[in-house]
Amino acid sequence: MAAPATLASLGDVMQLAFVPSDFDAAVKHWTEVMGAGPFFLLPNVSLPGGRYRGEASDPVFTMALGYWGEMQIELIRPENDAKSVYRGEYAVGEGLHHVCVLVDSIAEARIRCAEVGAEIVFEAPVGDTGGVIYADPGTGPGTLVELLEPQAGTRELFAMMRDAAMGWDGSEPLRSLG
């Protein structure tokens, strides 16, 4: 018998993401207390063509990505007031904001969301070849699922970050990619 069509059937959770009220304090906590890192800073990320609840939206945000073992940790700081999953009802302060699953097909992810009744609250193209969906599976704020079809080079970038975490000595906890 085939496994049921669920969001989990699209892939494994590879990331835990947070939108902390104090971004710098969160980086310090994750590096000094939890031992995750180093974190790589990606400032002023924009997702042109984004749609929040069906309306055009172009949120700008800074993110820091690092690894805690095999799990990617993402820390997000909104940089503008655009309607997005980082503001309003989904602006979780200190708890888990969303989990991320890498998918092979954003079209398949969209179909799966419809099958399980998960509301797509934000979607956008990512680069020339990727896409992202943030879905609310129905249990309220703090439980969003990000479904990311990575653009070319993303998996390799994540692998570089994961490799940097192996045996990390705590130096340069926040690094620039530039």
Side-chain angles (χ1 to χ4, degrees):
M1 176 175 359
T6 64
L7 293 180
S9 67
L10 291 169
D12 295 330
V13 171
M14 56 76 60
Q15 177 197 81
L16 304 176
F18 303 84
V19 183
S21 58
D22 186 332
F23 185 84
D24 295 332
V27 170
K28 183 176 174 69
H29 172 79
W30 276 100
T31 56
E32 294 180 9
V33 176
M34 301 303 291
F39 281 81
F40 292 86
L41 190 66
L42 292 90
N44 299 310
V45 174
S46 177
L47 296 172
R51 300 193 69 73
Y52 179 76
R53 297 194 180 269
E55 295 181 18
S57 180
D58 187 11
V60 177
F61 55 96
T62 292
M63 66 177 158
L65 297 172
Y67 276 82
W68 189 32
E70 292 294 315
M71 183 63 63
Q72 186 182 85
I73 304 299
E74 179 182 30
L75 305 173
I76 300 162
R77 179 178 61 219
E79 300 291 359
N80 69 1
D81 291 330
K83 291 182 181 179
S84 75
V85 293
Y86 309 128
R87 300 244 180 242
E89 69 181 297
Y90 293 106
V92 177
E94 302 311 319
L96 181 67
H97 183 266
H98 67 267
V99 297
C100 180
V101 175
L102 296 183
V103 299
D104 294 328
S105 166
I106 208 71
E108 181 183 339
R110 182 182 314 288
I111 291 167
R112 190 63 42 83
C113 286
E115 289 172 346
V116 302
E119 178 191 5
I120 296 173
V121 293
F122 182 80
E123 59 187 310
V126 175
D128 294 333
T129 58
V132 67
I133 288 172
Y134 284 84
D136 184 337
T139 54
T143 59
L144 292 173
V145 178
E146 175 186 7
L147 302 164
L148 174 65
E149 180 182 347
Q151 66 178 323
T154 299
R155 291 179 193 274
E156 294 79 5
L157 179 64
F158 290 171
M160 179 279 296
M161 292 173 179
R162 188 177 55 250
D163 290 349
M166 292 181 196
W168 177 54
D169 64 5
S171 64
E172 294 183 77
L174 189 59
R175 301 175 182 188
S176 171
L177 282 175

